[in-house]
Structures are given as C-alpha cells and as structure tokens.
Amino acid sequence: MKPVASGGTDTNSCQVCGGLWQLEYTRPETLTPYLSADGKLQGRNLTGFCEVHQQGLSRAVKRARELGLVPK
Ligand SMILES: [Zn+2]
C-alpha cells in the first residue's frame, strides 16, 4: 500500500486504488452500485473513493448517462 500524500484524516479505502475495482462507463454494472435509488451519484463518504477516483466515477457516470446506459 502506498501512503497518501494528502495527509488528511481520510482513510484510504478507495477500491480503485486498491485494484479491486475498475471504472468503465461502457460497463454500467461497475457504476450502478454507486448510484442511489433515484440515480444520483453517491458522495465520497459513501463510495469510499479517493478524490481522483471519485472524479473519475462522476465522469464515467455522466458519460454512461449520455449513452443511456444508466438511468438519468
Ligand atoms: Zn483511488
């Protein structure tokens, strides 16, 4: 495990950093676990992602929405 440079109080439980998860907008099943029942993207406190991958998630969901792969 690599140390996080931020030095904040964040616990780094990011699954993408940990190699447990890949974010792919072409595979909505990798995104939907992070959407609430009404299709909203969950916050970092719920996803457990680091800032970088939370942004990546947000982008992937946006793109998947444009393609109609996840509900709007
Ligand atoms: Zn990460």
Side-chain angles (χ1 to χ4, degrees), residues 12 14-17 49-50 52-53:
N12 188 16
C14 176
Q15 294 185 54
V16 186
C17 286
F49 283 1
C50 68
V52 172
H53 288 128

Side-chain angles (χ1 to χ4, degrees), residues 40-59:
K40 280 187 183 165
L41 185 60
Q42 294 178 342
R44 263 176 72 201
N45 56 334
L46 292 173
T47 63
F49 283 1
C50 68
E51 200 174 329
V52 172
H53 288 128
Q54 180 71 25
Q55 266 177 30
L57 174 64
S58 166
R59 219 171 292 148

Side-chain angles (χ1 to χ4, degrees), residues 7-30:
T9 52
D10 268 1
T11 50
N12 188 16
S13 58
C14 176
Q15 294 185 54
V16 186
C17 286
L20 297 172
W21 202 246
Q22 281 188 309
L23 298 171
E24 296 180 43
Y25 70 88
T26 52
R27 293 172 59 210
E29 70 271 22
T30 67

